[in-house]
Amino acid sequence: MRFFKQFKRYRSPLDFVRDILSGIIVALVSIPISMGYATIAGLPPVYGLYGSLFPILIFALLTTSPQFVVGVDAMPAVMVGTLMVELGFASESPDAMSLAAIMAIMVSIWFLVFYIAKAGRIVKYISTPVMGGFISGIGMTIILMQLPKLFGGNPGTGELVPLVVNIAEQLHNFNVLSFVLGMATVVIILVCKKYIPKVPMTIVMLVLGVALQMKVGLDKYGVKLLPETSSGLPSLFIPDITVIKGNVDSVVITSLGIAAVIMAQTLLASESYAMKHFYSINKNNELLAYGAMNLVAGFTGVCPVNGSVSRSGIADSNGTKTQLMSLTASAVMLVVLLYGTPYLKYMPVPVLTGIVMTALIGIIDTKMEMRLWKANKNEFIIFIVSFLAVLFFGTVNGVLVGVVLSFGEVAVRAVNPPATFVGRIPGHGNYHSLNRNSNARAIKGAVIYRFNGNLFFANIDKLVTNIEHAITPTTKCVVIDARGIGTVDITAADKLVALYKELNSQGIKLYITEHDGSLNDQLRISGAGELFEAGAVRQTITLALEAAGFEKPYVLEDHDGSDILATSGEEIHDIKELTEREWLHNPSK
């Protein structure tokens, strides 16, 4: 079973202990989060705890992700709650209970469809900057949702604007002691994580919060505590399907939307953790795991279950290695439901919220943001746009924007691939970039142009324009180093022929060299056969130069306009080391 294979990730017995501790923390933090989202979905609070019992157990056994966490979460709960309002069902009524369960079962059916359609491959169309912006956007969204709980208010739902409005509206519930407890929890955990990372400060803060309540009675000063919850395990729940009579279309469409949200958020977040920790997940297998956990959720009366970015962040920050963490969390929730519900009333909400906040702060990828700012401004913009798209328009729309941006990024790179003019270094063989190597010199009378990308209608003009601008009155031949060109379309082939004719009319020879033989087949099929008849296609740069009348040693053109032979390199010292350093470090101009 794949679950047991995860134990190969253990490097010491401490990893086993960390997984156990992470599971305990995840279970305890899941209590307020799950209960809150269950009420948003129109269910009794205890059903949020049910969502962290059997569904999380099934997911742990089926998933290929060794550290991701699932449970009752924001977006599916909001979508179910919204549908209940539209259909006029009262919260916690029998009709509401049946509708929530039906939605979870319908979502599981959609995941079976997604599995058959291999929809998990959507992730490969999402670039790392998009994924980083997406996960960071979700993290910031949940922070804004939970922020009012930090100072004694009620959590919000929706996107950025309604969340900000809710924060402003909840300020009238501002409780100074709640805010101090919440902020102190955040600061203490973050500071200790930096200086004493091996100490499980989340558990320490939970224990301190409970101890303060039992000793001082924080609720007497306006600090909110978790509500009392009934004990016992969930029983098999068979929903009454007649409640959706006349509204089947709404249920089908909404359940599809929920499945799409779960797939996008959970799959992308799981892939993000996989990239971060250098392992791989089977994306299509994950869809089966999502379907199975929602099927179990439906038949225990729980609303659709989603991957939890906040709880996964907590698990990750505590060094989770395997899904033993989820099994532990499920076992802890079992104990809580059987014996611990009377003690939940001692847990201060601001402390629990502070713990969630520290995890969410950790998943906002500021390091990637800074890397992109330094390395690639276009990818930095993609990161920011993905981040803002999730904040302003929600998960599904954020994914759609991300996919569009990913394809746009590919298109931009294809339209503007790297290219450079090359020459020779005196006393040395091979051809080197004139931009990147200070000792490289152009061969006098020859323009040698290296193009590193597939040649098609959108970028052929770049090649033609660059070559035309490089031609001087002394140019006798132009050589296209095509080793980086894998494909050529009809438009590009036609323009290569036109370029050949134009240069030929000026007494300048054009050659295409160094490419794979398959490019020859494409050129012929695309109607560029006359290039072969004219001898304009040669195997190597050396053969092309020879055909144009250039003999070795080539005459190179120095920076001051004087001539230098390619074999004379006496005045250039340590040239091999210098050339490699420049190749490694000099940016292209």
Side-chain angles (χ1 to χ4, degrees):
M1 186 183 290
R2 62 174 56 91
F3 170 77
F4 295 105
K5 293 180 181 179
Q6 296 175 16
F7 293 115
K8 293 179 181 178
R9 303 188 73 230
Y10 284 162
R11 295 294 178 265
S12 73
L14 280 177
D15 290 335
F16 176 84
V17 176
R18 288 193 188 98
D19 279 358
I20 298 293
L21 290 175
S22 292
I24 295 171
I25 296 166
V26 166
L28 294 177
V29 172
S30 294
I31 292 170
I33 298 174
S34 300
M35 291 171 69
Y37 290 143
T39 58
I40 290 173
L43 297 173
V46 71
Y47 278 79
L49 305 186
Y50 295 164
S52 292
L53 183 59
F54 296 128
I56 193 175
L57 175 64
I58 294 299
F59 176 78
L61 295 175
L62 296 180
T63 183
T64 59
S65 172
Q67 60 182 154
F68 206 70
V69 187
V70 299
V72 178
D73 207 55
M75 294 308 296
V78 170
M79 294 172 78
V80 171
T82 301
L83 181 62
M84 285 187 183
V85 172
E86 291 175 357
L87 300 184
F89 294 171
S91 293
E92 302 186 23
S93 66
D95 286 352
M97 303 281 290
S98 288
L99 179 63
I102 290 170
M103 294 299 289
I105 294 169
M106 284 294 299
V107 165
S108 71
I109 294 172
W110 279 118
F111 273 114
L112 179 60
V113 174
F114 292 167
Y115 173 78
I116 294 171
K118 298 188 184 301
R121 53 191 168 190
I122 185 178
V123 173
K124 73 179 181 181
Y125 298 114
I126 307 293
S127 65
T128 298
V130 169
M131 196 175 296
F134 175 84
I135 299 301
S136 298
I138 291 174
M140 181 58 71
T141 299
I142 302 174
I143 284 176
L144 295 175
M145 284 181 178
Q146 297 290 315
L147 185 60
K149 294 168 64 177
L150 206 65
F151 57 74
N154 297 315
T157 58
E159 285 76 53
L160 180 63
V161 174
L163 290 175
V164 172
V165 170
N166 178 70
I167 291 171
E169 291 175 347
Q170 293 300 317
L171 287 174
H172 72 277
N173 292 321
F174 193 91
N175 180 277
V176 175
L177 182 55
S178 295
F179 184 70
V180 170
L181 285 171
M183 288 304 298
T185 300
V186 172
V187 172
I188 290 171
I189 291 177
L190 291 179
V191 170
C192 292
K193 182 179 179 181
K194 182 175 181 179
Y195 294 105
I196 46 173
K198 294 183 178 181
V199 178
M201 287 307 299
T202 45
I203 289 181
V204 172
M205 296 309 295
L206 276 174
V207 172
L208 285 176
V210 171
L212 276 173
Q213 167 58 22
M214 297 180 72
K215 183 71 175 179
V216 179
L218 298 172
D219 56 323
K220 293 186 297 185
Y221 302 97
V223 176
K224 289 184 177 180
L225 308 174
L226 290 183
E228 291 190 45
T229 306
S230 57
S231 300
L233 299 180
S235 56
L236 179 64
F237 186 88
I238 306 298
D240 178 8
I241 61 172
T242 62
V243 301
I244 63 171
K245 186 177 180 180
N247 297 294
V248 174
D249 55 343
S250 296
V251 170
V252 170
I253 292 172
T254 304
S255 63
L256 174 58
I258 293 172
V261 167
I262 295 172
M263 180 175 71
Q265 185 170 324
T266 309
L267 202 55
L268 288 176
S270 297
E271 179 71 8
S272 179
Y273 279 107
M275 292 174 63
K276 178 180 178 181
H277 294 288
F278 308 105
Y279 58 82
S280 61
I281 61 173
N282 184 323
K283 302 173 188 67
N284 223 41
N285 186 87
E286 291 303 289
L287 302 183
L288 277 183
Y290 305 158
M293 72 184 186
N294 274 289
L295 188 65
V296 171
F299 284 113
T300 51
V302 180
C303 67
V305 176
N306 188 21
S308 173
V309 173
S310 59
R311 279 163 275 188
S312 297
I314 290 171
D316 184 49
S317 66
N318 284 281
T320 294
K321 294 290 186 183
T322 74
Q323 284 293 343
L324 177 62
M325 166 271 303
S326 288
L327 295 187
T328 303
S330 181
V332 170
M333 193 60 70
L334 175 67
V335 173
V336 168
L337 284 166
L338 290 175
Y339 309 109
T341 51
Y343 301 98
L344 297 181
K345 61 185 178 182
Y346 295 109
M347 288 191 177
V349 170
V351 173
L352 290 166
T353 304
I355 292 171
V356 174
M357 289 285 191
T358 57
L360 293 168
I361 290 170
I363 69 171
I364 296 176
D365 206 339
T366 53
K367 289 183 179 179
M368 179 186 291
E369 188 177 357
M370 296 307 298
R371 279 175 55 207
L372 293 174
W373 173 257
K374 294 177 181 178
N376 190 313
K377 295 298 189 294
N378 288 337
E379 290 195 327
F380 172 79
I381 292 171
I382 289 172
F383 178 96
I384 296 299
V385 172
S386 300
F387 174 79
L388 294 176
V390 173
L391 268 182
F392 279 96
F393 307 118
T395 302
V396 173
N397 292 323
V399 170
L400 294 176
V401 170
V403 171
V404 171
L405 287 173
S406 293
F407 278 110
E409 180 188 6
V410 171
V412 168
R413 290 185 177 183
V415 169
N416 190 33
T420 185
F421 291 96
V422 300
R424 297 291 288 258
I425 294 177
H428 294 268
N430 298 324
Y431 293 86
H432 302 270
S433 169
L434 298 177
N435 288 334
R436 209 170 179 92
N437 295 277
S438 61
N439 291 309
R441 305 289 189 272
I443 296 176
K444 189 171 184 178
V447 171
I448 307 175
Y449 180 69
R450 183 176 293 160
F451 192 85
N452 295 300
N454 293 326
L455 201 56
F456 64 109
F457 66 92
N459 62 23
I460 181 63
D461 286 340
K462 173 182 177 175
L463 179 146
V464 172
T465 301
N466 286 351
I467 288 175
E468 289 177 342
H469 287 169
I471 291 173
T472 67
T474 61
T475 300
K476 297 178 181 178
C477 81
V478 171
V479 180
I480 298 175
D481 181 347
R483 71 188 67 197
I485 302 175
T487 60
V488 59
D489 72 356
I490 290 177
T491 304
D494 288 344
K495 291 197 174 185
L496 284 174
V497 172
L499 178 63
Y500 167 78
K501 291 179 178 178
E502 173 63 26
L503 293 179
N504 194 52
S505 69
Q506 301 175 36
I508 301 173
K509 299 292 187 180
L510 172 69
Y511 298 97
I512 303 172
T513 70
E514 300 287 351
H515 53 276
D516 182 83
S518 63
L519 195 66
N520 293 333
D521 303 330
Q522 295 177 49
L523 287 169
R524 286 191 176 96
I525 293 171
S526 299
E530 62 185 283
L531 294 177
F532 297 89
E533 296 169 6
V537 181
R538 309 307 291 244
Q539 187 174 20
T540 66
I541 297 174
T542 300
L543 289 175
L545 290 173
E546 190 177 294
F550 289 78
E551 297 181 358
K552 293 184 177 180
Y554 301 126
V555 177
L556 308 182
E557 188 173 347
D558 209 350
H559 296 315
D560 60 5
S562 61
D563 295 346
I564 179 173
L565 286 178
T567 56
S568 59
E570 295 82 359
E571 297 181 3
I572 301 176
H573 303 289
D574 299 322
I575 191 167
K576 290 183 179 179
E577 291 79 5
L578 176 62
T579 299
E580 184 174 41
R581 284 201 303 273
E582 291 180 331
W583 175 77
L584 285 169
H585 302 295
N586 278 9
S588 297
K589 297 176 184 177

